[in-house]
Each structure stands twice: as C-alpha cells, then as structure tokens.
Amino acid sequence: MAVIEINHPLIQHKLTLLRNKNTDTKSFRENLNEISKLMTYEVTKNLVLDEIEVETPLMKTTGYTLGTNIAVVPILRAGLGMVDGIVSLIPTAKIGHIGVYRDEETLQPVYYYCKLPVDVQNKQVILVDPMLATGGSAIYAIDYLKNAGVKNIVFMCLVAAPEGIAKVLQTHPDVAIYTAKIDQGLDSNGYIYPGLGDCGDRIFGTK
C-alpha cells in the first residue's frame, strides 16, 4: 500500500501553527480539527458509492449515496483530537476507541482499553493518531483491529517519522498511511523531530 503525504497549502499552513510552541491549547485544538477535516477528503476519495434516484424541483435524476460503512477509531488519547473533524464530514460514522500508550523506557506499546463498534469487521476503519513515531502503537492497534476481523483499514496521522512508516509498512503492507508531513526522523528518546511536541498534552492542556 502507499504512503500519501498530503501537501495541500491550507494543511501545511495549519500544521505550521501546530508546530509553534507558543500556540495555545484552544488554537491547537482548532487547527488539529481543521487539518483532520481537510485530510478526510483525500482519505475517503475511493469510497464506494451507491447509485440512487433523486427528484429535484425540476426532474428525476441520478444521485449517489455512500455505500461504505465507516468507523473512526482514534488511538487514545491524542487521536481524540482528530475525530470531530472527520465526523463533521461523515456524521453517520461509528466511533471506536483503542487505548495504547508508549512506555517511555522501553518505547513499547502498552494496551489499556478497547471498545469497537458493532459489526466493525464490515466497516472501512479510519485509524487515527496525530503522531506516527516508532510505529509501535499503530502496529498494535492495527493488529487488534485485524484480530477483530477488520479487513479494510487506513491509518491517518499529522506527522510521521520515516522509521515508523517503514515498520508499519513492513508489518502491515496492506494498510495505506495518510500523513500531512513526513518529518526528519526520531531523536534518541523516540520523539519525532521537528514534530509537534507531546500532542496529547497540547490538545488537553495537561502540561
């Protein structure tokens, strides 16, 4: 599967605002929400449509309705900041949650919670997390979804490290990765640089 870097001018402008260490919590949330909404256009461009008949004020004509059931699954907690932007465009989407955090000493994912929509195995799942760093949390979440019977998964993030991209593609070559920017890499602590800082803390104002 492909790695798609969405280099739209509006997205890159808003991403720069997110990178700025002086951006306050309110502006950070708003821009994260707006970037997620803009990225959704690209992520969903291949959704299946069903043809229907619709009657305009002038005549009957052919129209279309979504033929794909969508589920949005954020990786807690930072992924929550991306959900509203997606759901504003796909209000019928079901929402699940996967709780995984990274152990700061081992850099390995630690699972703590999961709740998925009914019949998730029959849905197109958009798995979201603002950061794709080492790839550990993303791989764990994809593993979990596949074990639940999900066959159609795309991963959507704001910034991604080449190291994380490589690991996800090696483990799950069938999962497309959509990102607003491929950053330079990971530092010695496994953080993306230049990155966004701790996205969860910046969304929720916890630091």
Side-chain angles (χ1 to χ4, degrees), residues 16-176:
T16 299
L17 296 175
L18 293 188
R19 290 195 193 277
N20 189 334
K21 67 179 183 179
N22 296 316
T23 297
D24 61 25
T25 300
K26 177 178 180 293
S27 296
F28 193 91
R29 288 176 185 161
E30 290 173 348
N31 281 284
L32 175 58
N33 180 69
E34 290 168 2
I35 292 172
S36 301
K37 183 185 294 188
L38 291 167
M39 291 183 69
T40 300
Y41 283 101
E42 183 70 21
V43 172
T44 59
K45 71 178 183 180
N46 294 319
L47 291 181
V48 174
L49 292 173
D50 289 335
E51 193 173 282
I52 62 171
E53 184 180 84
V54 63
E55 188 168 358
T56 77
L58 300 179
M59 62 176 288
K60 290 182 179 180
T61 188
T62 299
Y64 302 92
T65 185
L66 280 178
T68 306
N69 292 318
I70 304 293
V72 181
V73 179
I75 298 177
L76 302 180
R77 64 183 168 142
L80 290 172
M82 302 175 69
V83 172
D84 285 349
I86 301 170
V87 173
S88 66
L89 294 181
I90 316 172
T92 57
K94 307 301 182 187
I95 302 172
H97 301 86
I98 294 180
V100 184
Y101 69 90
R102 184 174 68 174
D103 185 293
E104 295 304 326
E105 293 185 1
T106 66
L107 302 184
Q108 296 302 307
V110 180
Y111 165 84
Y112 65 92
Y113 179 79
C114 184
K115 184 73 172 180
L116 298 176
V118 175
D119 296 330
V120 70
Q121 65 272 16
N122 298 319
K123 301 182 186 301
Q124 168 70 66
V125 171
I126 303 173
L127 180 66
V128 299
D129 194 351
M131 316 284 282
L132 175 57
T134 64
S137 295
I139 290 169
Y140 187 98
I142 295 168
D143 285 341
Y144 198 105
L145 290 169
K146 287 186 174 181
N147 288 335
V150 179
K151 297 178 177 61
N152 298 310
I153 305 167
V154 296
F155 181 76
M156 174 177 164
C157 61
L158 264 66
V159 295
E163 298 92 329
I165 290 173
K167 285 186 178 179
V168 172
L169 291 180
Q170 181 180 18
T171 310
H172 296 289
D174 57 323
V175 175

